[in-house]
Amino acid sequence: MTARMLRLYPGKPEEIALPGTYLAHRLHERGSAAAPFVYASFVGSLDGRIALRDPATGESRLPAGLVSGNDFRLFLELQAQADCLVTHGGYLRDLAAGRLDDVLQVGTQEATRELAQWRADNGLPPQPAVVVASASLEFSMPDSPARHGQRVLIATGGGAPPDRVARWRAAGYEVLIAGTGMSVEGGPLVRELGNMGFRSLYLLTGPRMLDTMVRDRRLSRLYLTTAHRLLGGESFHSMLSGPELGDAGRLRLCALHYDASAPDGTGQFFAHFEPQPA
């Protein structure tokens, strides 16, 4: 049975099919090499948690109460529209340790073949490129991008250890310097990727990358799923953790949908926002 949800805004409330809702946004057509379309997505609780952290080990986890098949379907639709997926070294470390699943490919499972076909029908390569943003450059590269023919780039700051930069280049990877310090900065990264011809960039990253993209006014759209539950917890991650953003953080609601069935029957909102012009 096809999942349904209620569109609350814009327009009159209307029940619609959930599959295809985000594909209809056609994000791959909204950017250009000169001005790539940069979008991010997060799922959080009503009290603003996107992950909980184990105080003893420092490891983070996505609580089961935030996970739903409907949210994951929309995540896959966002992924399918990307020229380039931007991830980070922490994700690859968690992937190597078996704490997270590999989500760097589109349409590789039988249930998602339609998304691979959607890319082909819309003139996109079979798989998006992958950019790994990392200050330390200490991570293991999974073998899945090579198996699926994906272009892989590594982005770091100008203060990164030269020996580690050299090590990755010697292994055959393109290393981009995108920032003056240790960490990757949003403006330089988007500029570098645009120069390579990428037009739609999906941020599969965390608070630090969102922060720099917003501060550099490079974020084009933010997708936010809000699960209708309170998580609590004394050690947690939220969407942002840096200094106040000021006017750069002003966003405008573009659309709001209500899914009454998931997760666990509590319901969730699907919303997306765009920055207000300066």
Side-chain angles (χ1 to χ4, degrees), residues 110-177:
E110 188 60 38
T112 59
R113 298 287 186 214
E114 61 175 293
L115 296 176
Q117 186 60 52
W118 187 93
R119 286 182 66 86
D121 292 345
N122 285 275
L124 291 168
Q127 295 294 339
V130 175
V131 174
V132 183
S134 175
S136 69
L137 298 178
E138 287 291 345
F139 56 85
S140 299
M141 188 68 70
D143 63 359
S144 62
R147 284 192 285 107
H148 292 280
Q150 290 169 283
R151 183 180 181 183
V152 177
L153 305 99
I154 297 170
T156 193
D163 59 323
R164 296 177 190 172
V165 173
R167 183 187 71 193
W168 282 110
R169 284 177 171 158
Y173 292 96
E174 299 173 78
V175 179
L176 309 178
I177 303 301

Side-chain angles (χ1 to χ4, degrees), residues 65-76:
L66 300 185
V67 178
S68 76
N70 288 351
D71 174 69
F72 189 60
R73 166 65 197 198
L74 294 179
F75 163 81
L76 294 175

Side-chain angles (χ1 to χ4, degrees), residues 67-230:
V67 178
S68 76
N70 288 351
D71 174 69
F72 189 60
R73 166 65 197 198
L74 294 179
F75 163 81
L76 294 175
E77 292 190 5
L78 294 177
Q79 185 189 47
Q81 299 172 72
D83 281 340
C84 181
L85 305 176
V86 181
T87 185
H88 57 105
Y91 168 70
L92 296 189
R93 289 190 291 271
D94 284 339
L95 187 60
R99 292 188 289 268
L100 293 176
D101 296 328
D102 192 337
V103 293
L104 297 177
Q105 289 79 43
V106 175
T108 57
Q109 304 297 320
E110 188 60 38
T112 59
R113 298 287 186 214
E114 61 175 293
L115 296 176
Q117 186 60 52
W118 187 93
R119 286 182 66 86
D121 292 345
N122 285 275
L124 291 168
Q127 295 294 339
V130 175
V131 174
V132 183
S134 175
S136 69
L137 298 178
E138 287 291 345
F139 56 85
S140 299
M141 188 68 70
D143 63 359
S144 62
R147 284 192 285 107
H148 292 280
Q150 290 169 283
R151 183 180 181 183
V152 177
L153 305 99
I154 297 170
T156 193
D163 59 323
R164 296 177 190 172
V165 173
R167 183 187 71 193
W168 282 110
R169 284 177 171 158
Y173 292 96
E174 299 173 78
V175 179
L176 309 178
I177 303 301
T180 56
M182 291 288 291
S183 299
V184 173
E185 298 171 14
L189 179 61
V190 173
R191 186 165 54 249
E192 289 284 345
L193 295 177
N195 289 340
M196 294 179 174
F198 296 115
R199 299 164 299 158
S200 55
L201 313 179
Y202 185 17
L203 306 180
L204 303 181
T205 49
R208 182 176 296 175
M209 183 62 72
L210 179 64
D211 182 271
T212 184
M213 287 293 181
V214 172
R215 289 183 192 281
D216 287 357
R217 300 187 183 274
R218 294 293 184 160
L219 184 72
S220 306
R221 184 173 290 181
L222 173 66
Y223 288 86
L224 177 62
T225 298
T226 304
H228 296 171
R229 65 185 302 152
L230 302 170

Side-chain angles (χ1 to χ4, degrees), residues 1 3-8 12-18 258:
M1 183 175 177
R4 310 284 293 179
M5 62 181 177
L6 187 65
R7 187 185 67 216
L8 298 175
K12 291 183 177 180
E14 178 186 8
E15 188 179 80
I16 63 171
L18 185 145
Y258 173 53

